[in-house]
């Protein structure tokens, strides 16, 4: 059938492939893959993680390309400077920002993975879980952006409340490492 009508195979491919989707995948600790995206630049997207026990913000990374024209302003249509920033804040206070800059969208397209590590910020619950808010922002101009922009770190949900009981015999106990002296000290923490 395709020998007699070769255009039929091309029409079927065009019909079923659909329009090309372009976006910047936004990721971070505790964020399901593909759930948070930016479909155009500029953008500002937030995602909240309720009931968190611990969150560590270590930095950001980005890489991408564009499927269409890189922009509609600036030299040779490159759209001027292209900035990506991420902000992490919590219900217990504190906010930390990381920012990556590209010369223009073409630089974003062609550069290898850019990673910015920051002095890590550790947010931890004490008596009740905390809420963590992550915000990704992009300034500049990009037509049909395609790539990824990630917040780097760790996320732990609040652990279940311990149940049951722990019993010790009455009296003094010495804790020692195997084969060493003097006795050591044990500290029990919930982390």
């Amino acid at each position: 059938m395709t020998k007699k009508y070769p255009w039929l195979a091309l029409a079927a491919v065009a019909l079923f492939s659909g329009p090309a989707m372009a976006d910047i995948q936004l990721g971070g600790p505790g964020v399901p893959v593909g759930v948070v995206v930016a479909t155009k630049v500029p953008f500002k997207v937030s995602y909240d993680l309720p009931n968190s026990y611990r969150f560590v913000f270590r930095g950001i990374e980005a890489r991408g390309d564009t499927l269409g024209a890189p922009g509609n302003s600036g030299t040779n249509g490159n759209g001027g400077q292209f900035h990506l920033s991420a902000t992490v804040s919590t219900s217990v206070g504190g906010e930390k920002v990381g920012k990556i800059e590209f010369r223009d969208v073409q630089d974003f397209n062609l550069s290898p993975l850019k990673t910015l590590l920051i002095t890590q910020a550790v947010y931890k619950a004490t008596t009740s879980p905390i809420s963590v808010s992550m915000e990704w922002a992009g300034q500049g101009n990009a037509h049909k952006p395609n790539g990824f922009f990630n917040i780097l770190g760790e996320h732990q949900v609040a652990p279940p409340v311990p149940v049951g009981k722990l019993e010790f015999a009455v009296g003094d106990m010495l804790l020692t490492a195997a084969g060493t002296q003097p006795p050591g000290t044990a500290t029990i923490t919930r982390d």
Side-chain angles (χ1 to χ4, degrees):
M1 177 117 177
T2 56
K3 285 186 179 181
K4 193 172 185 181
Y5 303 104
W7 56 269
L8 187 59
L10 291 174
V13 169
L15 179 65
F16 293 111
S17 63
M21 299 301 288
D23 49 34
I24 297 177
Q25 296 288 324
L26 305 174
V31 179
V33 176
V35 169
V36 186
V37 297
T39 58
K40 62 180 182 170
V41 176
F43 65 88
K44 188 177 278 191
V45 179
S46 295
Y47 188 84
D48 293 326
L49 294 169
N51 297 320
S52 297
Y53 177 69
R54 186 170 185 261
F55 190 92
V56 180
F57 181 25
R58 297 186 190 280
I60 57 177
E61 67 180 6
R63 185 171 67 95
D65 59 34
T66 55
L67 299 176
N72 59 16
S73 64
T75 309
N76 299 322
N78 287 332
Q81 289 188 354
F82 184 59
H83 308 281
L84 296 173
S85 63
T87 305
V88 173
S89 58
T90 69
S91 59
V92 292
E95 181 176 278
K96 190 85 170 185
V97 178
K99 188 172 191 177
I100 294 179
E101 297 184 356
F102 296 90
R103 185 179 64 249
D104 52 36
V105 175
Q106 187 164 346
D107 181 32
F108 176 65
N109 293 349
L110 301 175
S111 73
L113 176 67
K114 278 195 179 184
T115 303
L116 171 69
L117 298 177
I118 60 173
T119 303
Q120 74 180 16
V122 179
Y123 305 103
K124 205 169 174 180
T126 52
T127 57
S128 59
I130 62 174
S131 293
V132 177
S133 179
M134 293 179 280
E135 181 181 272
W136 299 264
Q139 294 85 34
N141 181 18
H143 177 65
K144 294 183 180 177
N146 190 32
F148 64 86
F149 176 30
N150 294 323
I151 292 174
L152 305 174
E154 304 169 29
H155 173 250
Q156 288 178 324
V157 295
V161 175
V163 294
K165 61 183 180 177
L166 186 59
E167 293 182 16
F168 291 96
V170 177
D172 295 333
M173 295 180 199
L174 294 176
L175 300 174
T176 60
T180 62
Q181 294 295 332
T185 303
T187 304
I188 299 172
T189 60
R190 184 176 181 222
D191 193 19

